[in-house]
Amino acid sequence: MAVDGIADVKGSTSGHREYPLEMTEDERYLFDLNGYLIIRGVLTPEEVKEATDSITKRQEDMTERKEKALRNAVPGTALYGTGPGRKDLGGVLEWGEDSKVFKSILAHPRLVPLFHGILGKGYRMDHMPFVIAQDMGAEGFQLHGGTVDCVSGEYNPYLAYTCHHGMIRSALMGCNVILTDHNAGDGGFCVVPGSHKSNFKMPPGMVDGEAYQEFIRQVTTKAGDVVLFSEGTVHGAMAWTNPDVQRRVCLYRFSPATNVYARSYFGNEGGGWPKAMYEGMTDAQKAVLEPPYANRLDRPNINSDLSVEITTRGARKKQHDQEIFGTKYF
């Protein structure tokens, strides 16, 4: 059992990897306790190399956040670093064969039970995923988020974490796919454990890493790990201090079937996700790109074996709606 509460994935004698079919009680407890979870070894070393090679091919396309308006930390604070900006790279699901590993995250057999446990059946991709890169000294990210916003102190239903009658739900969930090792002291993703249940805004200076640093945890991970976190958990990033490697992660955000934060699912210059995303996708991966609507309205749901099942109402009800509204969906 890892310190952060996740057992390593075990391989079977046949060489196939075996995965839990539902979120375990340990995982539920630890996610509810901390507001995040580390899943070790989701990607194999070969898959990590394939993903990082795809990024390296496009390294010149990375955009550094140089302008003041794009910076994520306050100059002179603990999270700012020594000057360089963070680098971003989009389009990770639009690279044809080079997107294979990135697309696998949408319906990965190790992750689907966790997505169901945190978001419910019919979960959907909410934001376009992108690569985050930090060179030596590059700034991190001021602490942000919270079920109760860590700056304003106002309730934030778009990010909120809840747990009622044993059912965990997060209105928006981050999924950080780790592509380089993050050792203690290296920097990168950080979190305030338990802050998804906080009822108050943060004390002055804490969002900048200047106060109460002992409560801000840099998450140590290895390439191939995945960090799932509720956006209701206050999080950010520390400046990168490792001179030997460029920090690389790929950040996804997912939401329950009827929740939505971002608008790119319909706003791609006239509607829909970019067509290139769908190339080579499985039915399960395509299901995750559905827009927000309720499961009972013919939404494709992913089963534990990664098959897809349409959840629906009775034919007579759909016929009735067709007669009344001119469409089978009210």
Side-chain angles (χ1 to χ4, degrees):
M1 185 68 68
V3 172
D4 296 280
I6 293 298
D8 294 340
V9 175
K10 302 299 183 183
S12 69
T13 55
S14 64
H16 297 292
R17 306 175 93 196
E18 296 177 347
Y19 303 102
L21 297 180
E22 60 183 21
M23 193 173 187
T24 69
E25 288 303 308
D26 285 10
E27 291 165 344
R28 283 157 50 85
Y29 174 79
L30 291 162
F31 190 83
D32 182 65
L33 176 70
N34 292 312
Y36 77 99
L37 200 61
I38 301 175
I39 305 91
R40 304 290 185 190
V42 173
L43 297 181
T44 65
E46 293 76 20
E47 289 171 324
V48 170
K49 183 179 186 305
E50 184 177 336
T52 54
D53 286 350
S54 297
I55 295 167
T56 300
K57 278 186 191 179
R58 298 163 176 84
Q59 190 156 356
E60 296 304 314
D61 296 328
M62 289 182 178
T63 299
E64 182 179 342
R65 291 173 173 252
K66 294 180 179 180
E67 299 173 42
K68 182 179 180 181
L70 294 176
R71 300 306 290 257
N72 294 317
V74 177
T77 63
L79 302 179
Y80 186 75
T82 59
R86 191 185 85 183
K87 295 178 179 179
D88 297 341
L89 177 65
V92 298
L93 299 182
E94 303 169 60
W95 297 341
E97 189 63 25
D98 285 349
S99 290
K100 183 178 179 181
V101 173
F102 299 103
K103 289 177 178 177
S104 75
I105 297 299
L106 301 181
H108 194 285
R110 179 64 182 98
L111 300 177
V112 166
L114 296 165
F115 291 165
H116 285 165
I118 297 169
L119 303 170
K121 291 284 188 76
Y123 71 89
R124 52 178 296 274
M125 188 175 80
D126 192 90
H127 292 45
M128 289 190 178
F130 69 108
V131 171
I132 295 172
Q134 287 175 271
D135 295 317
M136 170 67 178
E139 70 168 346
F141 203 127
Q142 188 181 55
L143 296 179
H144 57 283
T147 298
V148 170
D149 186 85
C150 64
V151 175
S152 70
E154 296 179 359
Y155 175 67
N156 194 338
Y158 307 107
L159 308 182
Y161 172 88
T162 60
C163 184
H164 294 297
H165 302 290
M167 179 184 289
I168 288 173
R169 285 295 178 266
S170 185
L172 190 64
M173 183 189 73
C175 174
N176 221 357
V177 179
I178 309 301
L179 298 173
T180 50
D181 291 353
H182 291 56
N183 299 309
D186 282 350
F189 182 73
C190 63
V191 66
V192 180
S195 55
H196 56 314
K197 299 180 182 179
S198 176
N199 291 298
F200 303 97
K201 65 181 180 181
M202 284 188 157
M206 191 171 178
V207 295
D208 295 313
E210 294 291 297
Y212 302 105
Q213 293 179 356
E214 65 270 29
F215 296 102
I216 305 170
R217 179 183 296 171
Q218 182 228 310
V219 180
T220 57
T221 50
K222 296 295 183 183
D225 294 346
V226 169
V227 181
L228 301 181
F229 60 97
S230 172
E231 288 280 350
T233 305
V234 178
H235 60 282
M238 295 181 176
W240 190 246
T241 66
N242 189 330
D244 300 321
V245 63
Q246 181 185 66
R247 178 191 182 228
R248 290 181 179 179
V249 300
C250 187
L251 178 61
Y252 302 69
R253 293 184 183 93
F254 298 98
S255 61
T258 57
N259 282 58
V260 60
Y261 184 103
R263 55 175 290 165
S264 49
Y265 71 92
F266 73 85
N268 181 49
E269 300 300 330
W273 299 107
K275 291 182 179 178
M277 281 190 180
Y278 293 88
E279 295 176 7
M281 276 193 174
T282 65
D283 289 343
Q285 292 165 0
K286 290 176 183 177
V288 183
L289 299 189
E290 286 289 298
Y293 60 93
N295 279 324
R296 63 192 292 259
L297 300 178
D298 294 347
R299 188 176 194 90
N301 279 192
I302 303 171
N303 295 318
S304 58
D305 63 358
L306 302 190
S307 64
V308 173
E309 179 180 8
I310 302 297
T311 53
T312 188
R313 299 175 297 149
R316 184 64 185 92
K317 289 185 177 180
K318 287 190 281 189
Q319 181 187 346
H320 178 75
D321 286 345
Q322 184 73 48
E323 293 167 354
I324 298 298
F325 303 115
T327 172
K328 62 182 179 181
Y329 303 115
F330 53 81

PDB file of all heavy atoms in Angstrom, residues 4-18:
ATOM      1  N   ASP A   4       0.056   7.290  -0.010  1.00  0.00           N
ATOM      2  CA  ASP A   4      -1.143   8.035  -0.325  1.00  0.00           C
ATOM      3  C   ASP A   4      -2.343   7.129  -0.518  1.00  0.00           C
ATOM      4  O   ASP A   4      -3.403   7.583  -0.928  1.00  0.00           O
ATOM      5  CB  ASP A   4      -0.908   8.882  -1.579  1.00  0.00           C
ATOM      6  CG  ASP A   4       0.155   9.936  -1.345  1.00  0.00           C
ATOM      7  OD1 ASP A   4      -0.182  10.962  -0.753  1.00  0.00           O
ATOM      8  OD2 ASP A   4       1.309   9.713  -1.723  1.00  0.00           O
ATOM      9  N   GLY A   5      -2.185   5.829  -0.277  1.00  0.00           N
ATOM     10  CA  GLY A   5      -3.345   4.989  -0.139  1.00  0.00           C
ATOM     11  C   GLY A   5      -3.731   4.130  -1.305  1.00  0.00           C
ATOM     12  O   GLY A   5      -4.861   3.660  -1.365  1.00  0.00           O
ATOM     13  N   ILE A   6      -2.823   3.870  -2.234  1.00  0.00           N
ATOM     14  CA  ILE A   6      -3.184   3.074  -3.391  1.00  0.00           C
ATOM     15  C   ILE A   6      -2.215   1.914  -3.549  1.00  0.00           C
ATOM     16  O   ILE A   6      -1.008   2.095  -3.557  1.00  0.00           O
ATOM     17  CB  ILE A   6      -3.181   3.924  -4.670  1.00  0.00           C
ATOM     18  CG1 ILE A   6      -4.314   4.949  -4.600  1.00  0.00           C
ATOM     19  CG2 ILE A   6      -3.354   3.092  -5.914  1.00  0.00           C
ATOM     20  CD1 ILE A   6      -5.676   4.323  -4.510  1.00  0.00           C
ATOM     21  N   ALA A   7      -2.757   0.742  -3.682  1.00  0.00           N
ATOM     22  CA  ALA A   7      -1.923  -0.422  -3.942  1.00  0.00           C
ATOM     23  C   ALA A   7      -1.480  -0.421  -5.395  1.00  0.00           C
ATOM     24  O   ALA A   7      -2.200   0.018  -6.284  1.00  0.00           O
ATOM     25  CB  ALA A   7      -2.717  -1.693  -3.649  1.00  0.00           C
ATOM     26  N   ASP A   8      -0.272  -0.880  -5.646  1.00  0.00           N
ATOM     27  CA  ASP A   8       0.201  -0.985  -7.019  1.00  0.00           C
ATOM     28  C   ASP A   8      -0.630  -2.005  -7.778  1.00  0.00           C
ATOM     29  O   ASP A   8      -1.124  -2.977  -7.222  1.00  0.00           O
ATOM     30  CB  ASP A   8       1.669  -1.435  -7.047  1.00  0.00           C
ATOM     31  CG  ASP A   8       2.591  -0.385  -6.459  1.00  0.00           C
ATOM     32  OD1 ASP A   8       2.178   0.780  -6.400  1.00  0.00           O
ATOM     33  OD2 ASP A   8       3.713  -0.747  -6.075  1.00  0.00           O
ATOM     34  N   VAL A   9      -0.784  -1.771  -9.094  1.00  0.00           N
ATOM     35  CA  VAL A   9      -1.487  -2.714  -9.953  1.00  0.00           C
ATOM     36  C   VAL A   9      -0.652  -3.981 -10.088  1.00  0.00           C
ATOM     37  O   VAL A   9       0.548  -3.930 -10.298  1.00  0.00           O
ATOM     38  CB  VAL A   9      -1.717  -2.095 -11.350  1.00  0.00           C
ATOM     39  CG1 VAL A   9      -2.330  -3.112 -12.290  1.00  0.00           C
ATOM     40  CG2 VAL A   9      -2.611  -0.871 -11.235  1.00  0.00           C
ATOM     41  N   LYS A  10      -1.279  -5.125  -9.951  1.00  0.00           N
ATOM     42  CA  LYS A  10      -0.583  -6.398 -10.042  1.00  0.00           C
ATOM     43  C   LYS A  10      -0.791  -7.027 -11.417  1.00  0.00           C
ATOM     44  O   LYS A  10      -1.901  -7.033 -11.943  1.00  0.00           O
ATOM     45  CB  LYS A  10      -1.087  -7.364  -8.963  1.00  0.00           C
ATOM     46  CG  LYS A  10      -0.928  -6.822  -7.547  1.00  0.00           C
ATOM     47  CD  LYS A  10       0.515  -6.554  -7.177  1.00  0.00           C
ATOM     48  CE  LYS A  10       0.643  -6.091  -5.743  1.00  0.00           C
ATOM     49  NZ  LYS A  10       2.018  -5.751  -5.382  1.00  0.00           N
ATOM     50  N   GLY A  11       0.249  -7.572 -11.963  1.00  0.00           N
ATOM     51  CA  GLY A  11       0.124  -8.282 -13.229  1.00  0.00           C
ATOM     52  C   GLY A  11      -0.202  -9.748 -12.982  1.00  0.00           C
ATOM     53  O   GLY A  11       0.204 -10.333 -11.990  1.00  0.00           O
ATOM     54  N   SER A  12      -0.978 -10.334 -13.889  1.00  0.00           N
ATOM     55  CA  SER A  12      -1.316 -11.744 -13.751  1.00  0.00           C
ATOM     56  C   SER A  12      -0.207 -12.597 -14.342  1.00  0.00           C
ATOM     57  O   SER A  12       0.690 -12.104 -15.015  1.00  0.00           O
ATOM     58  CB  SER A  12      -2.634 -12.024 -14.470  1.00  0.00           C
ATOM     59  OG  SER A  12      -2.469 -11.900 -15.869  1.00  0.00           O
ATOM     60  N   THR A  13      -0.277 -13.886 -14.135  1.00  0.00           N
ATOM     61  CA  THR A  13       0.757 -14.781 -14.646  1.00  0.00           C
ATOM     62  C   THR A  13       0.745 -14.856 -16.166  1.00  0.00           C
ATOM     63  O   THR A  13       1.733 -15.219 -16.779  1.00  0.00           O
ATOM     64  CB  THR A  13       0.560 -16.197 -14.073  1.00  0.00           C
ATOM     65  OG1 THR A  13      -0.768 -16.638 -14.363  1.00  0.00           O
ATOM     66  CG2 THR A  13       0.765 -16.180 -12.570  1.00  0.00           C
ATOM     67  N   SER A  14      -0.381 -14.475 -16.775  1.00  0.00           N
ATOM     68  CA  SER A  14      -0.464 -14.509 -18.230  1.00  0.00           C
ATOM     69  C   SER A  14       0.147 -13.268 -18.870  1.00  0.00           C
ATOM     70  O   SER A  14       0.233 -13.168 -20.084  1.00  0.00           O
ATOM     71  CB  SER A  14      -1.927 -14.611 -18.662  1.00  0.00           C
ATOM     72  OG  SER A  14      -2.637 -13.453 -18.259  1.00  0.00           O
ATOM     73  N   GLY A  15       0.554 -12.304 -18.036  1.00  0.00           N
ATOM     74  CA  GLY A  15       1.123 -11.073 -18.549  1.00  0.00           C
ATOM     75  C   GLY A  15       0.104  -9.964 -18.707  1.00  0.00           C
ATOM     76  O   GLY A  15       0.460  -8.824 -18.955  1.00  0.00           O
ATOM     77  N   HIS A  16      -1.181 -10.275 -18.541  1.00  0.00           N
ATOM     78  CA  HIS A  16      -2.227  -9.258 -18.616  1.00  0.00           C
ATOM     79  C   HIS A  16      -2.335  -8.574 -17.258  1.00  0.00           C
ATOM     80  O   HIS A  16      -2.150  -9.186 -16.214  1.00  0.00           O
ATOM     81  CB  HIS A  16      -3.561  -9.875 -19.004  1.00  0.00           C
ATOM     82  CG  HIS A  16      -3.557 -10.497 -20.371  1.00  0.00           C
ATOM     83  ND1 HIS A  16      -3.458  -9.739 -21.513  1.00  0.00           N
ATOM     84  CD2 HIS A  16      -3.618 -11.787 -20.776  1.00  0.00           C
ATOM     85  CE1 HIS A  16      -3.480 -10.541 -22.570  1.00  0.00           C
ATOM     86  NE2 HIS A  16      -3.564 -11.793 -22.145  1.00  0.00           N
ATOM     87  N   ARG A  17      -2.665  -7.295 -17.277  1.00  0.00           N
ATOM     88  CA  ARG A  17      -2.810  -6.556 -16.035  1.00  0.00           C
ATOM     89  C   ARG A  17      -4.228  -6.723 -15.501  1.00  0.00           C
ATOM     90  O   ARG A  17      -5.194  -6.680 -16.242  1.00  0.00           O
ATOM     91  CB  ARG A  17      -2.491  -5.081 -16.265  1.00  0.00           C
ATOM     92  CG  ARG A  17      -1.129  -4.868 -16.901  1.00  0.00           C
ATOM     93  CD  ARG A  17      -0.902  -3.409 -17.220  1.00  0.00           C
ATOM     94  NE  ARG A  17      -0.223  -2.738 -16.132  1.00  0.00           N
ATOM     95  CZ  ARG A  17      -0.162  -1.409 -15.995  1.00  0.00           C
ATOM     96  NH1 ARG A  17      -0.787  -0.645 -16.854  1.00  0.00           N
ATOM     97  NH2 ARG A  17       0.502  -0.858 -15.007  1.00  0.00           N
ATOM     98  N   GLU A  18      -4.322  -6.918 -14.209  1.00  0.00           N
ATOM     99  CA  GLU A  18      -5.615  -7.096 -13.562  1.00  0.00           C
ATOM    100  C   GLU A  18      -5.984  -5.810 -12.830  1.00  0.00           C
ATOM    101  O   GLU A  18      -5.151  -5.212 -12.153  1.00  0.00           O
ATOM    102  CB  GLU A  18      -5.556  -8.267 -12.580  1.00  0.00           C
ATOM    103  CG  GLU A  18      -5.283  -9.608 -13.250  1.00  0.00           C
ATOM    104  CD  GLU A  18      -5.157 -10.746 -12.246  1.00  0.00           C
ATOM    105  OE1 GLU A  18      -5.037 -10.447 -11.034  1.00  0.00           O
ATOM    106  OE2 GLU A  18      -5.167 -11.906 -12.669  1.00  0.00           O
TER     107      GLU A  18
END
